[in-house]
Amino acid sequence: MENLIEILKKELEIYEQEREIVKLKIEAIEEDNIELIEELMKKEDILVKKIQELEKRRRKLIDGTGFKTLTLYAESLDNEKEREDAMVLKQKLKIVLEEIKFLNSTAEQLVNISTGILNSVIRNITGKKEIGYKKDTQKREFTQNNLLNKKI
């Protein structure tokens, strides 16, 4: 039978890989390297599938014990070393997941900033602006002088 500690170690290893990919993705976003972003996203998809499989196995193992959480299960282990290992791995997983969450938030902010800049440039080039008062109100496009129509 598979051991909880083995599953947690595998999960930690994959999440550490994910953290490194997210760091690389942030660098790629900053450098506008679309090809690298696409490559990294493919790698992320593979890791996500691995994590989903490990999570199923971990939950099945935990559910089979009748405990609702990893902490309760770990605390119930008779072997002190296994109990300590489980708690240490749980803490390491928590730290790595928090780092991934922060890095993903940073990546999202960078994408939002880039999108805002691109939208601003497009509006300046085309001269088109959406006008309206509310999100549910139909917006109209208003065209004003734009860079493409100006004589140079």
Side-chain angles (χ1 to χ4, degrees), residues 82-93:
E82 279 187 5
R83 185 172 46 247
E84 270 184 42
D85 288 349
M87 296 307 284
V88 167
L89 284 168
K90 178 186 173 224
Q91 188 61 31
K92 286 181 179 180
L93 279 164

Side-chain angles (χ1 to χ4, degrees), residues 55-150:
E55 273 298 297
K56 283 180 190 174
R57 290 171 20 207
R58 184 186 66 81
R59 285 189 182 133
K60 184 178 177 183
L61 183 66
I62 296 287
D63 290 346
T65 65
F67 292 100
K68 298 293 181 197
T69 66
L70 175 59
T71 303
L72 292 174
Y73 175 74
E75 289 173 351
S76 76
L77 293 172
D78 293 331
N79 184 323
E80 188 175 329
K81 180 170 175 16
E82 279 187 5
R83 185 172 46 247
E84 270 184 42
D85 288 349
M87 296 307 284
V88 167
L89 284 168
K90 178 186 173 224
Q91 188 61 31
K92 286 181 179 180
L93 279 164
K94 181 180 176 186
I95 291 167
V96 169
L97 290 169
E98 287 173 353
E99 289 174 2
I100 291 171
K101 181 179 178 182
F102 174 78
L103 291 168
N104 277 326
S105 176
T106 301
E108 182 181 8
Q109 290 172 358
L110 287 171
V111 168
N112 289 338
I113 290 169
S114 295
T115 302
I117 291 169
L118 287 173
N119 286 336
S120 177
V121 168
I122 290 170
R123 278 193 306 274
N124 286 332
I125 290 173
T126 63
K128 291 186 179 181
K129 292 184 179 180
E130 287 185 347
I131 52 175
Y133 296 102
K134 295 181 182 176
K135 287 186 178 182
D136 17 339
T137 305
Q138 184 176 2
K139 292 187 176 187
R140 297 181 295 131
E141 278 191 0
F142 171 72
T143 304
Q144 62 185 24
N145 290 337
N146 62 54
L147 294 175
L148 295 177
N149 292 336
K150 291 186 178 180

